[in-house]
Amino acid sequence: MGETKKGRTMLTILKIVALLLDFAFFIVLVHVIMSWLINFGVLNIHQPLVRSIWEGLTRLLEPIYSRIRQFLPNTGGLDLAPLVVFILIIIFRDILIPDLARALI
C-alpha cells in the first residue's frame, strides 16, 4: 500500500497523542489512588513529599475537573469528574485515534 509522507507524519502525530493520553490516564489514576490512600489514612498529607506530590497533581488536574463538574449533578461527597476524565481518555485513545489511523492507511 502506498503510504504517503503526509500519512506517515499524521500517524506519528497520532502515536504521540496516544502516548500523551496514556500519560494523562496514569496521572489521573495516581491522583485517584492517592486520594483514597489519604482519605483512609494510609498516606499522611503532613509529610512534605506526600503533600508536594498531592498539591502538584491537584493543581494540574483541578482545572480539568472543575470544568467537568459544571456539567455533572451534585452527588455530595462523590466526585465523578475523574471517572468522566477516564472515560474521555479511553474514548480518544482506544476508539478515535485507531479509527483516524485506519483512515490514514
Side-chain angles (χ1 to χ4, degrees):
M1 307 234 154
E3 206 177 286
T4 65
K5 185 175 180 178
K6 184 177 179 182
R8 285 193 308 266
T9 303
M10 288 302 296
L11 285 174
T12 302
I13 291 171
L14 288 176
K15 287 179 184 179
I16 292 170
V17 170
L19 180 66
L20 292 173
L21 288 171
D22 286 340
F23 182 71
F25 189 89
F26 175 74
I27 294 297
V28 175
L29 183 64
V30 168
H31 190 249
V32 168
I33 291 172
M34 271 190 83
S35 73
W36 292 342
L37 293 176
I38 289 169
N39 286 328
F40 289 123
V42 176
L43 289 179
N44 185 358
I45 198 71
H46 299 294
Q47 293 176 340
L49 179 62
V50 173
R51 180 180 26 237
S52 65
I53 293 171
W54 176 251
E55 288 176 357
L57 290 175
T58 301
R59 275 191 238 128
L60 182 67
L61 294 171
E62 192 56 38
I64 299 166
Y65 290 165
S66 65
R67 290 178 192 245
I68 292 172
R69 286 185 195 116
Q70 294 173 355
F71 301 102
L72 295 176
N74 186 3
T75 56
L78 182 62
D79 187 12
L80 297 177
L83 177 64
V84 172
V85 171
F86 279 134
I87 291 170
L88 290 173
I89 289 173
I90 290 169
I91 287 171
F92 280 105
R93 185 190 66 192
D94 296 342
I95 298 171
L96 296 179
I97 289 179
D99 286 348
L100 286 172
R102 277 191 292 276
L104 291 173
I105 295 177

